[in-house]
Amino acid sequence: MNGNKINAVFYAESYHPIQAGSIDGTDILPHDNAIYRAHLCASAGLYDPFGDPKVIGDPYCTVFVGRLSRHTSEDTLREAMSEYGRVKNLRLVRHIVTGASRGYAFVEYETEREMRSAYKDAHHTMIDDCKIIVDYYRQQLMPGWIPRRLGGGLGGEKESGQLRFGGREKPFRAPLKPIPFDDLKRLGIPPPPEGRYMSRFQDPSPPRRERNSVDREGSQKRDVQDRAHKRSFVDGEDRYHKRSSLDQEDHSHKWSSVERDEHYSERTSVDRYHKRSSLDQDEHSHKWSSVEREEHYSERTSVERDDRSHNMSSSRREERHHKRSSSSRSHKRSSKDRDERTHKSHKHSDHSPRHERRSTSCDLSSDLSKVG
């Protein structure tokens, strides 16, 4: 046989009393009376895993906690198991007459994820100086389950002589002898999974919740609705951003040239300020080398040079504007003076012939008076 099978194990997915009493899962005959009793109960259907009225809650969110101390109370167990999730319900099994603890309990969590966290991390931890074992709720999740009080169960101590294999504590070993497939098939015992053995250090995964067709259809409908809602939300955002960009463009077109220049100059000055402040923060927060410092100062001087050039260009633009306005005013004034002078000259020219005519008439009258 292959030497790799010595440390290989496998776990039972369904319960069969005869297989549970075998160390490698290949026995075809019961080897003690308890296994025979459990086999009779399973064959006659005397055990109903769903008939216990004390069993409440979701089995997929419930873990079995065994090997507890007889002195462990509900409060102590709740405090210890709350480290792995929110405990929804806890039932510590007690004797029906004396009320003493039977040493095992069932803990239900709010979610299946919290149950799996406790299943993985709480196994073999210490509570009241006792090493506990944690397993999933096999009573309702494992097909064919028979409890310990009827000769079934899993695990057990060697001193009792009633060991049960296939569980998390005592898994089946890989068979070292030929497997009787025909006899196992006749008894309804699942054969060992050849080629799919696990290591002893690997934990078996608890069974997951099966989703029926109604749940799948509902989940598909929810997925379709979620995708449609997400698509509509994205489309709405795109329309909003497009509308806002169009509004901004319209607003920018409505600006005059002066407002656009002022906005651009203000924005560039703000950008330069932020860039200069970021450079100052980088300078204070890092210890730079000489090369980096020179690059930083060169970049800063270039920024300041650009700022000065921008200020100079703006001042020159203002001076040219003032000169142009003053020249236009002077041109207007000179044109006005010229018009006034021309108007006066025209008036003077109009009055001078009259004066000459008047003077000549006076001279003629004086001459005539002298002659007479």
Side-chain angles (χ1 to χ4, degrees), residues 268-282:
T268 52
S269 62
V270 171
D271 293 338
R272 289 194 187 90
Y273 173 75
H274 286 298
K275 189 172 182 180
R276 191 182 297 112
S277 62
S278 63
L279 292 174
D280 294 336
Q281 290 178 0
D282 292 338

PDB file of all heavy atoms in Angstrom, residues 268-282:
ATOM      1  N   THR A 268      -4.871  81.594 -11.634  1.00  0.00           N
ATOM      2  CA  THR A 268      -3.438  81.326 -11.724  1.00  0.00           C
ATOM      3  C   THR A 268      -2.719  81.743 -10.450  1.00  0.00           C
ATOM      4  O   THR A 268      -1.796  81.066  -9.987  1.00  0.00           O
ATOM      5  CB  THR A 268      -2.845  82.063 -12.926  1.00  0.00           C
ATOM      6  OG1 THR A 268      -3.226  83.451 -12.862  1.00  0.00           O
ATOM      7  CG2 THR A 268      -3.337  81.466 -14.226  1.00  0.00           C
ATOM      8  N   SER A 269      -3.141  82.850  -9.847  1.00  0.00           N
ATOM      9  CA  SER A 269      -2.511  83.274  -8.590  1.00  0.00           C
ATOM     10  C   SER A 269      -2.796  82.272  -7.468  1.00  0.00           C
ATOM     11  O   SER A 269      -1.916  81.949  -6.676  1.00  0.00           O
ATOM     12  CB  SER A 269      -3.014  84.664  -8.203  1.00  0.00           C
ATOM     13  OG  SER A 269      -4.422  84.630  -7.987  1.00  0.00           O
ATOM     14  N   VAL A 270      -4.039  81.742  -7.413  1.00  0.00           N
ATOM     15  CA  VAL A 270      -4.372  80.738  -6.402  1.00  0.00           C
ATOM     16  C   VAL A 270      -3.560  79.468  -6.622  1.00  0.00           C
ATOM     17  O   VAL A 270      -3.042  78.852  -5.671  1.00  0.00           O
ATOM     18  CB  VAL A 270      -5.887  80.432  -6.429  1.00  0.00           C
ATOM     19  CG1 VAL A 270      -6.210  79.237  -5.545  1.00  0.00           C
ATOM     20  CG2 VAL A 270      -6.667  81.638  -5.947  1.00  0.00           C
ATOM     21  N   ASP A 271      -3.420  79.034  -7.884  1.00  0.00           N
ATOM     22  CA  ASP A 271      -2.627  77.845  -8.181  1.00  0.00           C
ATOM     23  C   ASP A 271      -1.177  78.035  -7.773  1.00  0.00           C
ATOM     24  O   ASP A 271      -0.548  77.128  -7.196  1.00  0.00           O
ATOM     25  CB  ASP A 271      -2.714  77.505  -9.671  1.00  0.00           C
ATOM     26  CG  ASP A 271      -4.118  77.068 -10.074  1.00  0.00           C
ATOM     27  OD1 ASP A 271      -4.870  76.622  -9.162  1.00  0.00           O
ATOM     28  OD2 ASP A 271      -4.463  77.183 -11.264  1.00  0.00           O
ATOM     29  N   ARG A 272      -0.631  79.212  -8.058  1.00  0.00           N
ATOM     30  CA  ARG A 272       0.750  79.478  -7.646  1.00  0.00           C
ATOM     31  C   ARG A 272       0.892  79.464  -6.130  1.00  0.00           C
ATOM     32  O   ARG A 272       1.879  78.970  -5.581  1.00  0.00           O
ATOM     33  CB  ARG A 272       1.195  80.838  -8.201  1.00  0.00           C
ATOM     34  CG  ARG A 272       1.397  80.844  -9.708  1.00  0.00           C
ATOM     35  CD  ARG A 272       2.151  82.094 -10.126  1.00  0.00           C
ATOM     36  NE  ARG A 272       2.211  82.187 -11.571  1.00  0.00           N
ATOM     37  CZ  ARG A 272       1.322  82.790 -12.329  1.00  0.00           C
ATOM     38  NH1 ARG A 272       0.269  83.385 -11.742  1.00  0.00           N
ATOM     39  NH2 ARG A 272       1.438  82.807 -13.631  1.00  0.00           N
ATOM     40  N   TYR A 273      -0.123  80.022  -5.440  1.00  0.00           N
ATOM     41  CA  TYR A 273      -0.064  80.026  -3.975  1.00  0.00           C
ATOM     42  C   TYR A 273      -0.069  78.607  -3.414  1.00  0.00           C
ATOM     43  O   TYR A 273       0.712  78.254  -2.535  1.00  0.00           O
ATOM     44  CB  TYR A 273      -1.244  80.818  -3.422  1.00  0.00           C
ATOM     45  CG  TYR A 273      -1.352  80.744  -1.917  1.00  0.00           C
ATOM     46  CD1 TYR A 273      -0.494  81.453  -1.092  1.00  0.00           C
ATOM     47  CD2 TYR A 273      -2.329  79.923  -1.321  1.00  0.00           C
ATOM     48  CE1 TYR A 273      -0.596  81.360   0.287  1.00  0.00           C
ATOM     49  CE2 TYR A 273      -2.434  79.839   0.044  1.00  0.00           C
ATOM     50  CZ  TYR A 273      -1.564  80.561   0.847  1.00  0.00           C
ATOM     51  OH  TYR A 273      -1.676  80.460   2.202  1.00  0.00           O
ATOM     52  N   HIS A 274      -0.968  77.761  -3.937  1.00  0.00           N
ATOM     53  CA  HIS A 274      -1.024  76.380  -3.452  1.00  0.00           C
ATOM     54  C   HIS A 274       0.254  75.615  -3.773  1.00  0.00           C
ATOM     55  O   HIS A 274       0.753  74.830  -2.973  1.00  0.00           O
ATOM     56  CB  HIS A 274      -2.225  75.655  -4.067  1.00  0.00           C
ATOM     57  CG  HIS A 274      -3.531  76.070  -3.477  1.00  0.00           C
ATOM     58  ND1 HIS A 274      -3.845  75.881  -2.143  1.00  0.00           N
ATOM     59  CD2 HIS A 274      -4.624  76.670  -4.042  1.00  0.00           C
ATOM     60  CE1 HIS A 274      -5.061  76.343  -1.910  1.00  0.00           C
ATOM     61  NE2 HIS A 274      -5.562  76.814  -3.050  1.00  0.00           N
ATOM     62  N   LYS A 275       0.797  75.843  -4.969  1.00  0.00           N
ATOM     63  CA  LYS A 275       2.030  75.173  -5.331  1.00  0.00           C
ATOM     64  C   LYS A 275       3.177  75.601  -4.431  1.00  0.00           C
ATOM     65  O   LYS A 275       3.989  74.789  -3.966  1.00  0.00           O
ATOM     66  CB  LYS A 275       2.345  75.482  -6.795  1.00  0.00           C
ATOM     67  CG  LYS A 275       3.483  74.660  -7.344  1.00  0.00           C
ATOM     68  CD  LYS A 275       3.614  74.879  -8.841  1.00  0.00           C
ATOM     69  CE  LYS A 275       4.727  74.004  -9.404  1.00  0.00           C
ATOM     70  NZ  LYS A 275       4.871  74.191 -10.866  1.00  0.00           N
ATOM     71  N   ARG A 276       3.237  76.934  -4.138  1.00  0.00           N
ATOM     72  CA  ARG A 276       4.292  77.434  -3.255  1.00  0.00           C
ATOM     73  C   ARG A 276       4.141  76.875  -1.839  1.00  0.00           C
ATOM     74  O   ARG A 276       5.114  76.498  -1.186  1.00  0.00           O
ATOM     75  CB  ARG A 276       4.264  78.957  -3.235  1.00  0.00           C
ATOM     76  CG  ARG A 276       5.483  79.571  -2.557  1.00  0.00           C
ATOM     77  CD  ARG A 276       5.393  81.082  -2.524  1.00  0.00           C
ATOM     78  NE  ARG A 276       5.377  81.628  -3.866  1.00  0.00           N
ATOM     79  CZ  ARG A 276       4.334  82.223  -4.420  1.00  0.00           C
ATOM     80  NH1 ARG A 276       3.210  82.361  -3.721  1.00  0.00           N
ATOM     81  NH2 ARG A 276       4.377  82.688  -5.643  1.00  0.00           N
ATOM     82  N   SER A 277       2.877  76.813  -1.326  1.00  0.00           N
ATOM     83  CA  SER A 277       2.650  76.264   0.021  1.00  0.00           C
ATOM     84  C   SER A 277       2.987  74.779   0.081  1.00  0.00           C
ATOM     85  O   SER A 277       3.534  74.297   1.068  1.00  0.00           O
ATOM     86  CB  SER A 277       1.193  76.479   0.423  1.00  0.00           C
ATOM     87  OG  SER A 277       0.341  75.787  -0.468  1.00  0.00           O
ATOM     88  N   SER A 278       2.652  74.025  -1.003  1.00  0.00           N
ATOM     89  CA  SER A 278       3.006  72.601  -1.011  1.00  0.00           C
ATOM     90  C   SER A 278       4.511  72.412  -1.023  1.00  0.00           C
ATOM     91  O   SER A 278       5.059  71.523  -0.358  1.00  0.00           O
ATOM     92  CB  SER A 278       2.376  71.918  -2.226  1.00  0.00           C
ATOM     93  OG  SER A 278       2.896  72.455  -3.421  1.00  0.00           O
ATOM     94  N   LEU A 279       5.203  73.271  -1.777  1.00  0.00           N
ATOM     95  CA  LEU A 279       6.658  73.189  -1.770  1.00  0.00           C
ATOM     96  C   LEU A 279       7.231  73.508  -0.396  1.00  0.00           C
ATOM     97  O   LEU A 279       8.187  72.870   0.075  1.00  0.00           O
ATOM     98  CB  LEU A 279       7.226  74.147  -2.820  1.00  0.00           C
ATOM     99  CG  LEU A 279       6.950  73.780  -4.293  1.00  0.00           C
ATOM    100  CD1 LEU A 279       7.430  74.885  -5.214  1.00  0.00           C
ATOM    101  CD2 LEU A 279       7.606  72.453  -4.654  1.00  0.00           C
ATOM    102  N   ASP A 280       6.651  74.511   0.290  1.00  0.00           N
ATOM    103  CA  ASP A 280       7.105  74.832   1.652  1.00  0.00           C
ATOM    104  C   ASP A 280       6.854  73.684   2.613  1.00  0.00           C
ATOM    105  O   ASP A 280       7.699  73.361   3.461  1.00  0.00           O
ATOM    106  CB  ASP A 280       6.391  76.099   2.142  1.00  0.00           C
ATOM    107  CG  ASP A 280       6.808  77.316   1.328  1.00  0.00           C
ATOM    108  OD1 ASP A 280       7.914  77.281   0.743  1.00  0.00           O
ATOM    109  OD2 ASP A 280       6.014  78.285   1.281  1.00  0.00           O
ATOM    110  N   GLN A 281       5.689  73.041   2.497  1.00  0.00           N
ATOM    111  CA  GLN A 281       5.403  71.902   3.379  1.00  0.00           C
ATOM    112  C   GLN A 281       6.358  70.751   3.115  1.00  0.00           C
ATOM    113  O   GLN A 281       6.822  70.089   4.033  1.00  0.00           O
ATOM    114  CB  GLN A 281       3.964  71.442   3.163  1.00  0.00           C
ATOM    115  CG  GLN A 281       2.932  72.405   3.680  1.00  0.00           C
ATOM    116  CD  GLN A 281       1.521  71.930   3.399  1.00  0.00           C
ATOM    117  OE1 GLN A 281       1.328  70.876   2.807  1.00  0.00           O
ATOM    118  NE2 GLN A 281       0.539  72.723   3.818  1.00  0.00           N
ATOM    119  N   ASP A 282       6.640  70.490   1.839  1.00  0.00           N
ATOM    120  CA  ASP A 282       7.603  69.433   1.522  1.00  0.00           C
ATOM    121  C   ASP A 282       8.974  69.756   2.079  1.00  0.00           C
ATOM    122  O   ASP A 282       9.702  68.880   2.557  1.00  0.00           O
ATOM    123  CB  ASP A 282       7.700  69.242   0.008  1.00  0.00           C
ATOM    124  CG  ASP A 282       6.412  68.674  -0.567  1.00  0.00           C
ATOM    125  OD1 ASP A 282       5.658  68.056   0.229  1.00  0.00           O
ATOM    126  OD2 ASP A 282       6.149  68.865  -1.765  1.00  0.00           O
TER     127      ASP A 282
END
